Every structure is written in structure tokens, then in C-alpha cells.
Amino acid sequence: MTETPAKGAITITHTRAEGTILTGSQKGDGVFDIVRRHNFWFSRNVDGLFLKHSRDKEAQTWRINAAAEALRAAGHEVTIETDENTRRSFAEAEADREERAAERAERFSDRADRAIASADAKRATADQLSKRFEMGQPILIGHHSEGRARRDAARIDANMRASFKDRDRAGHWSNRAQAAESYAQHRNDPYRTLRRLEKLRADLRAQQRHLAAETAAGRDGARHARLIEDITDEITHWEGIVEKAKAEGVKVWTPDDFTPGDFVRMRGSWYEVIRVNPKTLSIAWNLRLEPKPVMTREDATPPGYRLGTFTIDYTNVRARCPGEVMRAYLADGKVPGTKTAHEASEKLPASAVRAAEAAKPKTKKRSDPKIPKRVRVECAQDRTTATLTFLTGRSQPHKDFAPVTLTPPEGEKFSEVMWANTLRTAAVEYLAGRGFRLRESGWSGESIQGASRAIEEIPATEPETAEVEKRDERAPAAEAQPAPAAETCPMCHSGQWNPQARACGHCHHNPTAAPAPAPAAGEQDWQEDMAVVFIVSRNTRRARKRALWAMTRREAQAVCGDSRTSGRSYMLTWSDRPGEEGTDWEWVPDNGSLDAVLADLGITPRREWTAAPDAVATATA
């Protein structure tokens, strides 16, 4: 009968250099079963039991005290010894960790090799046994060879399965060996080290604040002082790693290396730099186009939306290309490689680009402070009124423009959001009456809390020259020639057509072909007849067409011709003879996604249809 070992004195010792170690225990005395739940374990390299993850750290007093109380409750005599001053440098600890990682890599590689050898041997055994069946010899039922054949088949199956398991085991140890081999490379990577230094410096500042607070309160700040010493030692070590990488030719990017308009390479793509910040770069970003070989400012500014940006850390930058070099490559339909961009960056550094920009004469763009730059619209809680306030460039109420109250049409209420058509239409109409219009930037905020948006003055039409006016005044009435009709938009025939730019400010039509002739005098009424706007989706099979709005033909042409009313899977179309409601088409809910287009075009659609008299007559005939 085995005697239970006597319960002796247990000593728990902690030093920064060795960690927390429990000594005085013997095998079978039950100490390990007590302290294992407090994170103690055993190792052939440690004389006694050790507390996991306690080396080079502060003593985990809550675990040590809990383990000591459990041992005392079991009848053991426990002594705790703590020494926080005996420590080793961070460089020594890191070298020891790298050495142990190399040992793990060698040990795991050996295990992977043994697993592969075992898998090959078992596969060879299975192949050798299967040779008796290679000619397709079946198992002869009732023959004296039946038993041996079945045993061999079972052995083949067992060896093959064991071979597969050994292969899986070999892959497991091979992956662990590869991870251990890359430990030093991962830890000493200069870009990861720079990010690690940022966190360590933040921790150092926090500990310095804690130490100052403890000292000011008259309390002992020894723990914070030790942590400051540890963090400072670690920072010194990693700064040496970064300096060594710089000496070996690794480029560490800083804000001085960039200027707005440059292109940076990150994760295999080029991005235009929008802003250069002290710790990050703001780059052009459009999630719908990601990934893209080159992302420019134009790519990140969809029609009707703001410029999209994304911030990246300097440690994520892998190359720089000057803006003019990248634009030249894009004009030729090419994308520069990293080596070419590096050569161009050396020839044209950011400092030279900044110097060239500084040498250019500066023309101050001063705007008239008497003109408001923004408006803020606030909807009342009852949604029966709204307040429109003109703002300065600093978003302050303009002193020369008093706030006005907007009211909805009779029988209607405003919505709480600016995307709704009623409130935005009222704001647009009022601004147009004051000579202003909304800019392309979107609304910020909600109307019930104060939605704001940039505005601009509506440019006045160019008057006729004084020479023409004088000539008309001098010419007799009988000989006066009528002034030529102004060219109108070929799509909506509005007066906002710009013949030089070939673009319409009303329906945004921008054709490339020759302009269509303006309608004759008798055809102007045709533009004001009613039509129905339908939405058509890809791969849909519907019995009736889906109608969104009823409006004039002119307005329908402008809406359907706007690039914002069509997507990859849908488009808008219109008809002035849609057929019979309920049989050929039906009204469908309007989700408000196109309210911004309607507001920009100044269109207020209806949700009821009355066919034109000529259409009714044609249908009756």
C-alpha cells in the first residue's frame, strides 16, 4: 500500500526574471490538483510548478493569494516571497523568446517528419496488401481463402485511414513549425514595429499621468514607476529595430514624403492623396469601385455626392508616385509599376512639388460676405411649418437674411426628413424666388434637428450687347429684323441650355450629337400634356406595368433623361398613352429614393392620371 506523502512547507516565489514558481511539493501530495485551477502548471525545464505567463511581469497577486489560501485550507504551510526588482532587460527577454521559438520550430519539424514517415509506411503497407487484389480478384464466398481475404481488406482499410490521419497530423505540426520559424520575422517587421511603438508610447504617457496623480495624492506610485521603466526599456529596444531596418534600406514613410495629388500604393492598388495628416493619409475612396488599379479623386466623387475619403496609416504605404506622372500614365491607358513609381518619386519628391506650388502666384478667392453660403431647414414637431435660416460660410445665421417660415400645401404636412419631396420642394421654390439654388453637395443632418446644405446664386442670363441694342434702336420699325430664337435644350427645350458646353442646367442633358431643332410654335403645347413615368427592372415578368408618377411630357423627358434615374438593374421610361389603369398598369409605392432628382429638377409629380383629350379620342376611335 502506497503511503500518502506528508504535507510539507510550500514556498511560492516571484521574481521578474524567473516568474512565479511553487516549490516544496512532491508527486502525489495533491498540491498540483489544488493549484492547477489557479493557472499553475509543470514543466521539465522548471524545478517546481510555475504560474503561466508570469515571467517578466508584475506578480499576479490575486492568483498567488488564492492558491495560497486553497493550500492552507488543505493543511499546507505556505510562504509567499515577492521580489519586483530582480528583472532582466527586454532585449534579453526577447532574445530568449526567439531562441525558444527556434527550438519549437525544430521540435515541430521533427514531429512533422515522423508523421510523414509514418503515413508513408502505412500507405506502403496498404499498397503491398492490395497487390493480391490488383487483378480484380473478388472474395470467394465459402472458399478457404475467404477469411484471409477479408482480413487483408480490413488491414488495407485500417492502414489507409491511419495514413490519412498521420498526413493531417504532419500538416498540423508543419504549420506550427512554420509559425515558430516566422516568429522573429513577424516581431521584427519594421512596419509592425512602428505600430507597436505608437501603442507603447501611448501606454508610457498613461503611466506617467498615473504616477503624477499618485504622487500628487501622496500615495505610493512604485508600481507605476516600475511599469514606466519596463515600457521605456521596450521602446528603446524597438526603436533600435526600426533604425536597423532603415540602415538596411527599408523605407519608413512620413508626412514629409507626400503632398495632396500624389498617389500611394496600398494592398496592390494606387490611391490619390487628398490630405496629408500628421499620422495618416486621407485617400480617395469609393467602396463600389474597390478594388481598382488606380482610384482617383474623380472616381471617388459620384455624380450628386461628396468626395469619398478613407484614412490609412503611413505603415500601410508601400510606394509613392507623383500626381503628374500618374496622370500621364493614365492618359496612355497604363498603370505604373512599383519600380517605375519609385524612380519617378526620387526624381520628383514631394518637397519639390510643394516648392513649385509655393512659387506659383496666389490669387485669393474672396467671396462676398453679404451672400449667404448655406441654409438650414428645421421642421416643427407638428410638421405643419418649417424654418429656413440663411447661414454664413461658418454656419452662423446671416445677419442680412431673416429666418423665414415655410408652410406645406393645403391639406398636406411636411416630413421629418429632407429626402421627402414636400419639404425639400418648398425650400427649393423659396430659394429660387430669392435667386438661390442648392449646390451639388448633399444634405447634412435631419430636418427636424436642422438639416443644412450649401447654396449658390443662380447666374443671370447674359444680356445682349450694347451694339446690338443700339442697332435695333436706329433701325426703322419696318426694317427691323426679329432677333434669332435662343437655342434650347434638345431634351426638355428649357432656356437653361448652354450651347458652348452642350449641357442643360435643367435636365442635365449632355448629348454628343448635333442639337435637335427647337419645337415649332404649335408644338409647345404638346410638351405640357400629361404623361406617366414607369419603372422597369431587369428580368421581371409582370402582368401590369408599374407607374411611379404623373407629370407633363417635358418633365417626364427631363426625369427619364437624368443619369441618376437609371442603374445597373432598373431604368425609368414614360408614355403619354399608357392604356387603362388597373388593366395595363398600376400605381406602385414610391420609396423616395429619387426625391433628390425631382427636387433638383424642380418637379412636383402627381399620383393620379387623366388622359389627354386627343389620347381619349384616339382610344375611342
Side-chain angles (χ1 to χ4, degrees):
M1 182 176 180
T2 304
E3 297 182 0
T4 303
K7 297 180 179 180
I10 303 298
T11 303
I12 301 178
T13 306
H14 175 81
T15 62
R16 303 285 292 279
E18 300 295 334
T20 304
I21 299 177
L22 185 151
T23 58
S25 172
Q26 303 179 23
K27 186 176 181 179
D29 61 359
V31 172
F32 176 68
D33 295 332
I34 295 174
V35 299
R36 66 181 300 180
R37 65 176 60 96
H38 300 288
N39 213 29
F40 280 84
W41 205 249
F42 58 88
S43 171
R44 67 181 67 181
N45 300 322
V46 179
D47 184 14
L49 303 176
F50 70 95
L51 183 63
K52 296 180 182 179
H53 310 297
S54 61
R55 200 174 186 186
D56 302 314
K57 296 180 181 179
E58 292 275 328
Q60 302 178 27
T61 54
W62 67 95
R63 294 187 187 276
I64 295 174
N65 294 335
E69 291 297 328
L71 290 171
R72 293 189 183 106
H76 295 275
E77 182 180 343
V78 182
T79 303
I80 300 176
E81 299 176 357
T82 303
D83 180 11
E84 296 289 0
N85 297 320
T86 303
R87 59 188 296 275
R88 58 179 180 172
S89 66
F90 182 82
E92 294 174 345
E94 189 66 17
D96 181 59
R97 283 190 283 268
E98 291 181 5
E99 182 180 354
R100 286 189 281 114
E103 293 175 355
R104 286 198 306 273
E106 183 178 358
R107 186 167 62 253
F108 295 157
S109 296
D110 292 340
R111 293 180 183 178
D113 293 341
R114 291 198 298 270
I116 291 176
S118 175
D120 292 342
K122 291 173 181 176
R123 177 60 183 265
T125 301
D127 291 343
Q128 183 65 30
L129 291 172
S130 64
K131 286 184 178 180
R132 64 173 298 182
F133 302 104
E134 63 183 358
M135 300 302 294
Q137 175 66 34
I139 297 177
L140 303 177
I141 307 300
H143 193 264
H144 64 84
S145 63
E146 178 186 358
R148 180 184 175 187
R150 293 190 181 279
R151 288 192 299 273
D152 287 346
R155 291 174 62 193
I156 292 172
D157 180 74
N159 279 279
M160 291 296 291
R161 292 180 183 276
S163 175
F164 296 152
K165 289 183 179 180
D166 286 342
R167 284 286 177 183
D168 294 340
R169 187 160 53 90
H172 167 76
W173 291 118
S174 177
N175 291 337
R176 293 199 60 179
Q178 184 177 1
E181 289 174 355
S182 61
Y183 173 82
Q185 180 182 0
H186 175 83
R187 291 280 287 179
N188 296 327
D189 180 82
Y191 298 113
R192 289 190 176 93
T193 302
L194 287 170
R195 292 192 289 270
R196 190 182 299 121
L197 282 170
E198 288 292 329
K199 180 180 182 303
L200 288 172
R201 291 180 181 123
D203 293 342
L204 177 61
R205 292 191 295 270
Q207 291 301 327
Q208 290 172 343
R209 290 193 298 270
H210 295 329
L211 177 60
E214 294 292 319
T215 304
R219 294 189 291 265
D220 183 16
R223 178 175 179 273
H224 297 294
R226 288 193 300 270
L227 289 175
I228 289 175
E229 183 180 2
D230 293 343
I231 296 173
T232 304
D233 187 18
E234 186 174 356
I235 288 176
T236 303
H237 172 77
W238 292 125
E239 286 177 344
I241 295 296
V242 174
E243 293 301 324
K244 180 181 177 182
K246 289 181 179 180
E248 293 175 353
V250 176
K251 176 62 178 177
V252 177
W253 301 97
T254 63
D256 296 334
D257 297 321
F258 300 97
T259 185
D262 288 344
F263 284 79
V264 296
R265 188 169 181 83
M266 181 193 70
R267 299 174 185 172
S269 299
W270 291 97
Y271 301 88
E272 185 172 357
V273 177
I274 305 301
R275 288 184 300 276
V276 180
N277 310 313
K279 292 188 177 181
T280 60
L281 284 174
S282 297
I283 60 175
W285 186 263
N286 189 335
L287 188 59
R288 294 186 177 184
L289 298 180
E290 266 299 306
K292 196 174 186 292
V294 181
M295 184 75 72
T296 64
R297 176 189 291 266
E298 293 76 17
D299 295 330
T301 312
Y305 292 87
R306 298 179 180 178
L307 170 66
T309 60
F310 185 74
T311 56
I312 62 171
D313 191 83
Y314 287 102
T315 57
N316 293 321
V317 176
R318 293 298 176 265
R320 168 189 175 266
C321 182
E324 62 181 61
V325 176
M326 177 62 74
R327 298 287 181 180
Y329 270 91
L330 293 178
D332 296 337
K334 301 178 181 179
V335 178
T338 304
K339 183 178 179 181
T340 305
H342 178 69
E343 295 174 354
S345 180
E346 288 185 341
K347 293 180 180 178
L348 190 62
S351 58
V353 177
R354 288 193 293 268
E357 289 292 330
K360 293 180 180 179
K362 301 295 182 181
T363 56
K364 274 194 173 183
K365 295 182 179 179
R366 298 184 61 87
S367 59
D368 189 354
K370 297 181 179 180
I371 300 176
K373 305 302 185 296
R374 300 181 64 86
V375 291
R376 182 174 64 242
V377 180
E378 300 174 77
C379 183
Q381 293 287 347
D382 56 3
R383 296 184 296 170
T384 57
T385 60
T387 303
L388 186 145
T389 307
F390 289 92
L391 306 176
T392 64
R394 297 183 178 181
S395 298
Q396 299 297 324
H398 202 287
K399 62 180 181 179
D400 296 335
F401 291 79
V404 296
T405 301
L406 304 178
T407 56
E410 186 177 356
E412 298 184 18
K413 284 189 175 182
F414 288 138
S415 177
E416 296 179 358
V417 294
M418 284 305 301
W419 295 113
N421 193 38
T422 309
L423 178 54
R424 190 175 65 250
T425 301
V428 169
E429 291 178 351
Y430 177 79
L431 290 173
R434 297 293 298 268
F436 295 96
R437 65 184 179 188
L438 300 175
R439 299 185 65 125
E440 292 186 357
S441 58
W443 290 93
S444 300
E446 300 292 343
S447 58
I448 197 170
Q449 301 171 349
S452 62
R453 185 168 177 176
I455 61 174
E456 62 184 358
E457 286 187 302
I458 300 177
T461 57
E462 296 183 1
E464 296 181 300
T465 61
E467 182 180 354
V468 174
E469 293 178 356
K470 292 179 180 178
R471 184 191 61 192
D472 292 343
E473 291 175 359
R474 290 193 303 266
E479 298 179 1
Q481 299 294 328
E487 187 177 351
T488 59
C489 174
M491 175 62 73
C492 64
H493 301 290
S494 68
Q496 299 186 26
W497 172 254
N498 188 335
Q500 287 77 23
R502 304 281 298 150
C504 179
H506 182 263
C507 68
H508 305 284
H509 186 51
N510 188 15
T512 57
E523 296 180 354
Q524 290 290 347
D525 295 338
W526 180 87
Q527 291 285 340
E528 301 304 322
D529 289 341
M530 298 302 297
V532 177
V533 177
F534 300 98
I535 180 170
V536 183
S537 303
R538 180 187 296 177
N539 300 328
T540 56
R541 301 290 185 270
R542 298 179 180 270
R544 291 187 291 271
K545 291 183 289 187
R546 296 175 294 164
L548 286 177
W549 311 300
M551 57 183 66
T552 65
R553 291 188 178 107
R554 177 183 58 79
E555 294 172 337
Q557 287 177 340
V559 170
C560 297
D562 196 294
S563 60
R564 295 171 291 176
T565 60
S566 62
R568 298 178 60 182
S569 59
Y570 77 95
M571 64 175 292
L572 297 185
T573 183
W574 66 274
S575 173
D576 55 354
R577 289 181 174 82
E580 185 178 351
E581 181 179 355
T583 303
D584 302 316
W585 59 275
E586 61 183 354
W587 294 108
V588 295
D590 178 11
N591 60 10
S593 60
L594 299 177
D595 286 348
V597 180
L598 296 175
D600 292 343
L601 299 179
I603 297 175
T604 304
R606 300 190 304 181
R607 300 281 291 180
E608 57 183 11
W609 167 250
T610 302
D614 58 341
V616 175
T618 304
T620 306

